[in-house]
């Protein structure tokens, strides 16, 4: 039963991370993103930084995302 719960929790965290969008401020968005990213890494420690950088940038407001993409973050 615990293995099933863990598997479900991992999927929940991935969905939350994937759907997370910046609403109030970048600082609040960053804090929530970090919390979810750490949870995902507990279940899958081999996910690379590119995955997280891409997800983080995708969740930013358009007016912030565009200038950041010009700098090609790693």
């Amino acid at each position: 039963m615990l293995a099933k719960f863990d598997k479900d929790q991992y999927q929940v965290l991935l969905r939350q991370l994937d759907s997370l969008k910046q609403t109030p401020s970048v600082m609040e968005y960053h804090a929530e993103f970090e919390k979810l990213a750490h949870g995902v890494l507990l279940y899958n420690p081999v996910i690379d930084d590119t995955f997280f950088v891409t997800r983080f940038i995708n969740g930013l407001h358009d007016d912030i995302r565009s200038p950041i993409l010009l700098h090609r973050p790693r």
Side-chain angles (χ1 to χ4, degrees):
M1 172 107 173
L2 185 59
K4 181 182 185 311
F5 173 76
D6 284 347
K7 179 181 167 192
D8 291 344
Q9 184 62 27
Y10 177 54
Q11 291 172 349
V12 166
L13 288 168
L14 283 173
R15 281 193 302 274
Q16 288 175 338
L17 188 65
D18 195 42
S19 65
L20 185 64
K21 301 289 182 198
Q22 177 196 347
T23 50
S25 73
V26 174
M27 294 297 286
E28 290 171 310
Y29 169 66
H30 179 262
E32 184 63 21
F33 186 91
E34 285 287 318
K35 183 178 96 176
L36 291 170
H38 285 294
V40 167
L41 285 170
L42 288 174
Y43 290 97
N44 188 351
V46 297
I47 296 178
D48 67 357
D49 289 341
T50 302
F51 171 83
F52 290 111
V53 170
T54 302
R55 290 289 183 266
F56 183 81
I57 292 171
N58 285 342
L60 291 170
H61 286 161
D62 290 338
D63 60 331
I64 296 172
R65 182 182 326 117
S66 297
I68 289 177
L69 285 174
L70 291 174
H71 294 285
R72 297 178 183 238
R74 298 174 190 239

